Amino acid sequence: MMPLRLFADRERLGGYIARFFYLGAMLSMWFLTPQIMQTHLGFTPLQAGIGFFPLTVVNFIVALQVSKLTTRFGNTKLLTVGIAKTAIGMCALGFFSEQVGYALGIAVPMILMGIGQGLTLSPLTVAGVANTLPADAGAASGVVNMVHQIGGSIGMSFIVAVSATFKNGLTSYHVAMGLANVLLIGALLVVIGLILPTLKKESE
């Protein structure tokens, strides 16, 4: 069902690990940010959902350009830039407060994260099925989906559990975004350490 040789390729392995970290960070942000908008900005659930438009719309627009950008810059460079931009946006979310407000505290970071997410998810999928034999293509795709689900679940569970130990809601959110950023930095290091060397090897 899942041949272990799938994990022998550095690019695929990097794609799996980076996706695990990336989804753990993003799912935590998606889960906690609507709550902080409601509790600290007085948003209704509907307004909190609409508050995600900066991320969603930008993500959609950027994702449409990934094919052209990949042809021009390559999959690995998009991954590196995409995860880095996501991390910058996540870091900015960690400075949110009522005084900063929605526009600067949430919307602007979400625009950065939308760009990053748009540049990241598709290239992560490509990395996760790279260099597979035809007989292993289905299994490799299945591992991508498995890592997607497990990474999000485990990452969010860990971040929510740790941040919940802080009684102040805003402090808890800052800690959660800090932990999410650690996961994103981990994903970036995986790309640099495992996937980037395969790009250099191919160019030699």
Side-chain angles (χ1 to χ4, degrees), residues 20 42 103 106 130:
F20 182 94
I106 294 179

Side-chain angles (χ1 to χ4, degrees), residues 142-163:
V143 173
V144 168
N145 289 324
M146 177 194 72
V147 171
H148 188 103
Q149 300 299 329
I150 292 178
S153 300
I154 293 177
M156 186 181 74
S157 298
F158 169 74
I159 289 174
V160 170
V162 173
S163 63

Side-chain angles (χ1 to χ4, degrees), residues 67-89:
S67 178
K68 296 178 182 177
L69 292 172
T70 301
T71 301
R72 183 174 180 181
F73 299 107
N75 198 64
T76 304
K77 290 181 180 178
L78 286 194
L79 267 179
T80 304
V81 173
I83 296 175
K85 283 188 177 294
T86 308
I88 293 170

Side-chain angles (χ1 to χ4, degrees), residues 177-200:
M177 295 304 99
L179 292 172
N181 216 31
V182 169
L183 293 183
L184 289 175
I185 293 171
L188 183 59
L189 292 176
V190 168
V191 170
I192 294 172
L194 289 178
I195 301 179
L196 189 58
T198 65
L199 177 65
K200 294 179 179 178

Side-chain angles (χ1 to χ4, degrees), residues 104-120:
L104 290 178
I106 294 179
V108 171
M110 279 188 175
I111 291 172
L112 291 172
M113 297 175 76
I115 296 171
Q117 186 175 308
L119 292 174
T120 299

